Amino acid sequence: MARRYEHSNNSSQMREVLQQGQISEGGHRERDHSSKDRSSQASCCSSSSSPSSSSSSSAQGGAGDRRAGPGGRGGQRAQGTSSCSRSVQLNFSRTHTVLIDVSVFNLAVGIIPQEGRDMWNSNFVKMPCSPSSVMTTKVGLMKQNTQVCRWDVISKQLKALASKKEVSVDEVEKAVIKYNPKYKGQWTFDALSAFVKCIPKEENYFPTLFPKIAALALRLPEQMKKAIPLLQTGHTAAITLSQVQISCLLANAFFCTFPHRNTSAPNTEYHGYPTINFSSLFGNWSKRKKEKLRAIMHYFNVVTDEKDKPKGLVTFERRCLRDEDMPHWRSCKDKMAKLRVALHGSIETDGKGMLQVDFASSWIGGGVLGSGLVQEEILFLINPELIVSRLFTERLADNECLIITGSQQFSSYSGFGDSFEWAGPYEDYLERDDWARLRRQILAIDALNFKHVREQYSMVKVTRELNKAFCGFKGHGHNEPDIATGKWGCGAFNGDPQLKALIQLMAAARARRALAYFTFGDRKLERELQQIYQLLVDEGITVEQLFRHLEDYCAVQQAHGFTHVDLFEFITNTVRPSRSQL
């Protein structure tokens, strides 16, 4: 996600260009000079497979029983309160856990939590309200160390906060430290405190909001009756939760209640998972933290309001590209996919209805709970429901991606990095599919981080990036949406914009999906990418041929030492002579 610009290509325009002939079957573009920002709401086809048929229609069972295929389809808005059953049933399968009652949902009666049981082992999220979660505290006149149920301590503190009309940051800190005594003196709340103090009185609703967040966190046992499986490395699997369940989980993250999640040291149980408790967001005041907290607090202000409470579902799907599904890039005969290059606009705004690429960290969410404020962190701040993925998503491997379907955008923003600012509430008018998910799909794929720019000019690295992009772009059904992307890995990770653009174009060609590429105001890249794409189309270049050109380019780049060779110029000079000799 780059800086906000006045944009000229909205999602409906972009789709028309890609799918309805402004780029012909041969790939020839008709340039669109329109500068109007037409507002239109686009529907998005799910990129997941069709729902699996279940072996049982029962919605009852213990942990691990309630499964569903993640790709529910249907064009009508699903509110969850209709008097008739749904046209596309929410089913379950062995690889998709659904944490709401499927039978009740399919009857369109409402959304209620699925019954189940607590699981305290390495395959599930260890919950704050689990009877197995204990802590040592001093009790009695002799102040003897005694093990007590940690949730008893948590609920006592949160109930005290929830019972008040207003709560100060000091009271929040004292409550959190009460059940996290190990971190007394280590965790600071200066950022949260400075934030509350610096907001003008007429906008400062936070002291009255803290009790509401505490009350929401206390609902955890009633909302999460069934264990949440971990999305582990090497396994394709998915989880569907209600937006209310997500809000409850995030309220607990706000009050730092999740056990065994306060350190990521190599020898700890959750060393392969991102942090989830908000302690790192509350300390080390900065302007960035101020703007992050404005977005987070606005989210909680909405979800704690009964009349504005979200009423849908969200699916989190980890996909693992199997060895047998890895493309043979040196023998891939696919020609270039349709491409639309946009100078202005943004992925999340103009890519509505498309599969929107999150330029992710392998640790989902990156530095969203710290100081990071680039594309992924901004995406997670304006769609805070994405943050819950950090609770159960293990670090992504080279052949894996995460797709989130149905998250809601709550905030508008401007800027990027140090210039990022929360720009107020966002009204999300996207329609919902038959699974009551907003028609928004976000694809998290992590690019390689090159400490030195020259490291990327290796076919081992190029192939890794091709496989990573293909893992996310690969279709799993019919009528797959187009892909909205941009300068993936080209900021702090030092990726070459030209190379990364061709890698994504090749992956999209193999996946047979059209690509909308946002240059975020980079006029030079826009012009050059259009020119090289037209050359590749005119010359009928296949993925196989382009891969071989990249092999030659990497060899030349390495031979030139520290002198940079322009990739697009190299390919132009290579392709045109070979054509003239025919």
Side-chain angles (χ1 to χ4, degrees):
M1 190 171 313
R3 295 178 185 276
R4 301 286 287 206
Y5 295 89
E6 290 299 314
H7 51 273
S8 60
N9 299 302
N10 66 21
S11 56
S12 60
Q13 288 175 299
M14 190 70 79
R15 245 189 345 276
E16 288 169 5
V17 170
L18 290 167
Q19 296 178 335
Q20 298 179 10
Q22 289 191 45
I23 299 177
S24 70
E25 289 304 314
H28 297 280
R29 294 182 306 102
E30 294 180 12
R31 187 179 296 271
D32 178 12
H33 293 286
S34 171
S35 61
K36 293 182 180 179
D37 179 11
R38 302 181 196 67
S39 173
S40 69
Q41 296 303 324
S43 63
C44 169
C45 295
S46 169
S47 70
S48 304
S49 57
S50 297
S52 307
S53 59
S54 90
S55 57
S56 168
S57 62
S58 170
Q60 306 306 314
D65 294 337
R66 189 63 21 256
R67 309 279 182 172
R73 300 184 185 278
Q76 299 302 312
R77 192 179 186 93
Q79 299 293 345
T81 56
S82 172
S83 59
C84 59
S85 62
R86 299 180 183 278
S87 59
V88 177
Q89 298 278 291
L90 174 59
N91 298 312
F92 57 91
S93 72
R94 198 170 44 84
T95 58
H96 190 128
T97 300
V98 180
L99 293 164
I100 60 135
D101 190 305
V102 175
S103 293
V104 171
F105 180 82
N106 283 335
L107 291 172
V109 175
I111 298 175
I112 64 172
Q114 170 60 42
E115 296 293 335
R117 67 179 188 272
D118 177 62
M119 302 290 284
W120 189 265
N121 63 51
S122 60
N123 295 318
F124 295 86
V125 174
K126 291 186 174 178
M127 297 292 281
C129 53
S130 169
S132 299
S133 181
V134 297
M135 63 179 290
T136 301
T137 187
K138 297 182 182 298
V139 298
L141 294 175
M142 303 298 292
K143 296 296 182 183
Q144 293 181 325
N145 287 339
T146 305
Q147 279 199 335
V148 297
C149 178
R150 189 166 176 267
W151 184 249
D152 289 344
V153 180
I154 292 171
S155 58
K156 180 180 178 181
Q157 296 301 315
L158 296 185
K159 284 176 182 176
L161 297 181
S163 66
K164 299 180 179 182
K165 289 186 177 180
E166 292 190 2
V167 167
S168 68
V169 173
D170 284 344
E171 289 174 307
V172 170
E173 178 179 359
K174 288 176 183 177
V176 170
I177 294 301
K178 200 73 175 180
Y179 46 85
N180 292 294
K182 178 180 177 181
Y183 297 95
K184 185 177 182 179
Q186 295 184 43
W187 287 354
T188 63
F189 289 73
D190 64 292
L192 184 61
S193 180
F195 167 72
V196 172
K197 290 176 182 176
C198 77
I199 300 298
K201 186 175 181 181
E202 58 272 16
E203 301 175 29
N204 201 325
Y205 56 85
F206 311 118
T208 60
L209 180 59
F210 291 143
K212 296 177 184 178
I213 303 174
L216 179 59
L218 283 167
R219 296 180 59 193
L220 188 65
E222 70 180 66
Q223 283 295 327
M224 302 305 307
K225 298 182 179 182
K226 180 179 173 174
I228 306 174
L230 297 171
L231 297 181
Q232 296 171 316
T233 298
H235 301 279
T236 293
I239 299 170
T240 293
L241 306 98
S242 73
Q243 290 182 273
V244 171
Q245 288 174 320
I246 291 172
S247 69
C248 187
L249 291 167
L250 290 178
N252 276 273
F254 181 91
F255 280 104
C256 307
T257 70
F258 287 101
H260 300 196
R261 299 302 292 266
N262 293 324
T263 176
S264 298
N267 60 340
T268 56
E269 181 178 0
Y270 287 93
H271 68 274
Y273 291 79
T275 57
I276 183 63
N277 290 327
F278 280 23
S279 54
S280 57
L281 185 62
F282 295 153
N284 301 316
W285 165 252
S286 66
K287 182 181 179 295
R288 288 188 174 198
K289 290 284 182 74
K290 171 189 172 184
E291 299 304 318
K292 286 187 174 192
L293 285 166
R294 290 179 77 183
I296 295 293
M297 299 304 283
H298 170 65
Y299 164 75
F300 282 120
N301 196 37
V302 173
V303 298
T304 55
D305 187 331
E306 282 299 316
K307 63 179 183 292
D308 290 331
K309 187 170 60 176
K311 298 178 176 63
L313 306 182
V314 183
T315 297
F316 301 82
E317 182 181 7
R318 186 189 194 106
R319 290 184 181 172
C320 179
L321 190 63
R322 299 172 301 179
D323 290 343
E324 56 266 33
D325 293 329
M326 290 283 187
H328 298 287
W329 298 105
R330 297 188 90 252
S331 58
C332 177
K333 306 298 183 184
D334 292 292
K335 292 188 178 181
M336 297 301 105
K338 291 181 180 179
L339 173 70
R340 173 70 163 117
V341 185
L343 175 64
H344 301 304
S346 63
I347 292 171
E348 78 281 359
T349 299
D350 300 82
K352 284 179 182 176
M354 302 183 192
L355 180 64
Q356 301 174 5
V357 177
D358 162 21
F359 305 160
S361 164
S362 58
W363 305 86
I364 290 297
V368 64
L369 298 182
S371 297
L373 249 179
V374 290
Q375 194 252 13
E376 180 172 36
E377 287 87 357
I378 294 173
L379 188 62
F380 276 54
L381 290 169
I382 65 174
N383 299 269
E385 290 166 335
L386 300 178
I387 296 174
V388 82
S389 62
R390 296 168 63 89
L391 178 63
F392 43 72
T393 307
E394 193 169 7
R395 184 181 184 181
L396 296 177
D398 286 345
N399 63 334
E400 296 178 326
C401 69
L402 183 72
I403 294 182
I404 302 102
T405 304
S407 67
Q408 181 171 336
Q409 183 174 341
F410 288 82
S411 293
S412 300
Y413 78 99
S414 64
F416 185 84
D418 287 338
S419 66
F420 172 83
E421 289 185 359
W422 182 76
Y426 179 89
E427 296 295 328
D428 201 336
Y429 293 112
L430 286 180
E431 290 191 350
R432 294 183 184 271
D433 63 18
D434 272 313
W435 289 12
R437 300 177 303 187
L438 289 168
R439 293 182 178 274
R440 174 179 290 110
Q441 284 199 317
I442 294 171
L443 164 66
I445 49 173
D446 53 296
L448 288 173
N449 188 351
F450 301 110
K451 292 183 179 179
H452 303 287
V453 173
R454 300 192 59 78
E455 293 176 9
Q456 65 193 295
Y457 304 119
S458 154
M459 289 311 294
V460 171
K461 304 292 175 60
V462 169
T463 301
R464 187 273 184 192
E465 301 293 70
L466 281 167
N467 290 336
K468 172 65 73 166
F470 178 71
C471 176
F473 294 177
K474 184 176 184 289
H476 290 259
H478 302 290
N479 300 319
E480 302 287 2
D482 302 327
I483 299 161
T485 189
K487 298 162 79 172
W488 174 51
C490 296
F493 283 11
N494 290 318
D496 181 332
Q498 293 186 347
L499 179 56
K500 276 300 193 329
L502 290 189
I503 284 172
Q504 292 184 85
L505 185 60
M506 292 165 71
R510 183 67 188 89
R512 295 171 185 162
R513 295 171 78 167
L515 205 66
Y517 193 97
F518 295 88
T519 69
F520 309 132
D522 189 333
R523 192 174 298 278
K524 181 173 182 289
L525 179 61
E526 179 213 20
R527 182 182 67 254
E528 293 178 344
L529 182 53
Q530 288 175 340
Q531 291 172 348
I532 196 69
Y533 172 74
Q534 200 62 50
L535 174 65
L536 295 173
V537 171
D538 290 345
E539 300 297 330
I541 299 298
T542 63
V543 171
E544 168 193 11
Q545 292 171 309
L546 186 51
F547 185 84
R548 294 176 188 273
H549 288 318
L550 292 182
E551 287 181 316
D552 294 339
Y553 171 75
C554 287
V556 169
Q557 186 72 276
Q558 291 170 7
H560 274 69
F562 290 98
T563 303
H564 180 71
V565 178
D566 185 275
L567 173 57
F568 288 174
E569 184 178 334
F570 175 86
I571 290 176
T572 300
N573 293 335
T574 304
V575 169
R576 281 183 173 157
S578 65
R579 180 69 176 175
S580 64
Q581 294 170 11
L582 295 180

